[in-house]
């Protein structure tokens, strides 16, 4: 497949069969338990009114439907079996690590920091997969001392480091996978094959670097080589991209006679009204069928690392509208009390979101405005062309759904804005799992008499 040639969208996650009014928020962008309260007309998630949550915990606020998170973890385990890991970079806190572990997932961490949080959550290290394209000796030592289940080896320098560490006392050779760069880059609706892989991650298949890494690791006493890993991108809507990944990997993997193959994460999710994506089950089915088609032995433990597809639609952000600036003939700016510090995705990737008001989620969103944050940047957009009800007013609680992945985890303190709290809701109750930062938190790293 070449750039520009787009395969048809072959699988659809959300087949409701109902067509939604284009000016209303499609239910498939909301958490599973979202429901409109028949009395108040407000939206409730997990049986809790969003306006009550905003009043109790303040705004901006990340709200997660706990049952939705658990259900996606269960779907992942049912689809892939033991070994499927939650890509914790999508959203990580102690409560989330515990939840994913309780539901039977392993946890994929990309840094020593993520490892620290996951271990603090009480997740057994043996169910953690350690990633990173530049793991330090300290990170590697901490991972091996903790007894992580797998390390995904990413560079020749890392192999050198592992061997140097293994020469020291008390080294227990970890089970490792080799991260291979298959030369496929998957985009939302296409994938491209690059002649030689241009990536900071892993070992290229082209040029024999991956083969050389396998040679070194299989001879090394520092590690036990158990498999091959690849990851072709994120927010992928086409299962065909994964079939292609397996096809490319199979030729390399088959002769190695190793027990494990991990195809990485990347399954996409719909963010806006006209998008749809394969389900976790459909994704696994396609990968497993491709493994059969391309001769991967049936005994191979085939795994994956979904992040976004577990957490994104479970979460939403509640903001309070602060100012509405109508510039006649130009646009209307609706400014909320967060912005690029709690959701940098629109600024970084031009990502689109939907919006609605918590008090009237079913109202027609007949007015088009631009939702912006409170940061000192003109580019601080949350939604460029947001549909909102015509009577939107200051103090309204404006919601952006599908912010459960790569929102809180990429949040910053830009402009010394404090990071939002996170609540899990379910069964009519809300529990705070990450408290809101306070102004004093902004000083906690300062050496005040320095
Ligand atoms: N495994 C590996 C090795 C990864 O690098 C990633 C994501 C995942 C698993 C999980 O991928 P997911 O299923 O969540 O797509 N900040 C970007 C996404 C970066 C993804 C990085 N790697 C965004 O907000 O779209």
């Amino acid at each position: 497949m070449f750039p520009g040639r787009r395969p048809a969208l072959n699988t659809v996650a959300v087949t409701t069969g109902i067509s939604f009014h284009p000016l209303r928020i499609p239910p498939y962008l909301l958490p599973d338990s979202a429901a409109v309260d028949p009395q108040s007309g407000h939206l409730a998630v997990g049986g809790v009114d969003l306006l009550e949550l905003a009043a109790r915990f303040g705004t901006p606020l990340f709200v997660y439907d706990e049952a939705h998170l658990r259900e996606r973890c269960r779907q992942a385990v049912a689809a892939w079996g033991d070994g499927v890991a939650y890509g914790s970079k999508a959203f990580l806190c102690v409560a989330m690590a515990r939840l994913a572990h309780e539901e039977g997932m392993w946890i994929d961490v990309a840094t020593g920091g993520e490892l620290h949080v996951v271990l603090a959550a009480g997740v057994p290290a043996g169910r953690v997969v350690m990633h990173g394209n530049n793991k330090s000796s300290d990170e590697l030592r901490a991972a091996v001392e903790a007894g992580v289940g797998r390390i995904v080896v990413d560079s020749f320098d890392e192999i050198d480091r592992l061997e140097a560490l293994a020469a020291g006392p008390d080294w227990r050779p970890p089970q490792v996978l080799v991260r291979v760069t298959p030369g496929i880059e998957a985009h939302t609706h296409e994938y491209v094959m690059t002649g030689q892989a241009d990536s900071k991650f892993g070992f290229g298949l082209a040029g024999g670097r991956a083969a050389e890494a396998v040679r070194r690791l299989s001879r090394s006493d520092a590690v036990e080589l158990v498999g091959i890993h690849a990851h072709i991108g994120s927010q992928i809507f086409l299962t065909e991209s994964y079939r292609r990944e397996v096809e490319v990997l199979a030729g390399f993997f088959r002769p190695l006679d190793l027990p494990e193959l991990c195809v990485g994460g990347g399954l996409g999710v719909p963010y806006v009204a006209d998008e749809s994506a394969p389900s976790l089950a459909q994704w696994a089915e396609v990968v497993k069928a491709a493994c059969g088609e391309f001769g991967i032995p049936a005994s191979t433990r085939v795994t994956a690392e979904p992040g976004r597809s577990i957490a994104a639609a479970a979460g939403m952000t509640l903001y309070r509208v602060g100012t509405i600036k109508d510039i006649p003939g130009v646009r209307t700016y609706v400014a909320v009390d967060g912005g690029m510090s709690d959701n940098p995705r629109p600024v970084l990737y031009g990502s689109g979101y939907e919006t609605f008001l918590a008090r009237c989620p079913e109202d027609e969103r007949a007015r088009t405005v631009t939702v912006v944050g409170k940061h000192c940047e003109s580019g601080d957009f949350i939604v460029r062309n947001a549909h909102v009800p015509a009577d939107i007013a200051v103090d309204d609680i404006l919601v952006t759904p599908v912010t459960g992945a790569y929102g809180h985890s990429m949040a910053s303190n830009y402009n010394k804005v404090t990071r939002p709290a996170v609540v899990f809701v379910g069964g009519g109750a809300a529990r705070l799992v990450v408290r809101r930062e306070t102004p004093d938190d902004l000083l906690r790293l300062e050496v005040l008499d320095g």
Side-chain angles (χ1 to χ4, degrees), residues 3 47 52 84 121 186 190 230 251-252 264 302 345 355 375 382 392 403 426 430 441:
E52 269 174 49
V84 62
E190 65 188 30
F252 179 70
V302 179
R345 299 191 71 258
T355 51
H375 293 277
I382 299 176
I392 185 169
T403 56
D441 286 325

Side-chain angles (χ1 to χ4, degrees), residues 233-251:
S234 197
Q235 186 60 353
I236 297 169
F237 282 169
L238 280 182
T239 50
E240 171 60 22
S241 304
Y242 290 99
R243 184 179 164 274
R244 182 75 182 122
E245 176 190 3
V246 172
E247 182 180 7
V248 171
L249 288 175

Side-chain angles (χ1 to χ4, degrees), residues 87 89-90 108 131 179 229 231 233-235 264-267 305-308 345 349 406 410:
K89 67 211 78 186
D108 143 14
H131 276 277
R179 173 136 180 197
H229 176 286
H231 172 78
S234 197
Q235 186 60 353
L267 180 64
E305 295 162 342
R308 190 192 313 267
R345 299 191 71 258
Y349 318 120
Y406 303 110
M410 294 206 295

Side-chain angles (χ1 to χ4, degrees), residues 198 367 416:
D198 177 2
R367 190 167 171 195
K416 297 294 182 222

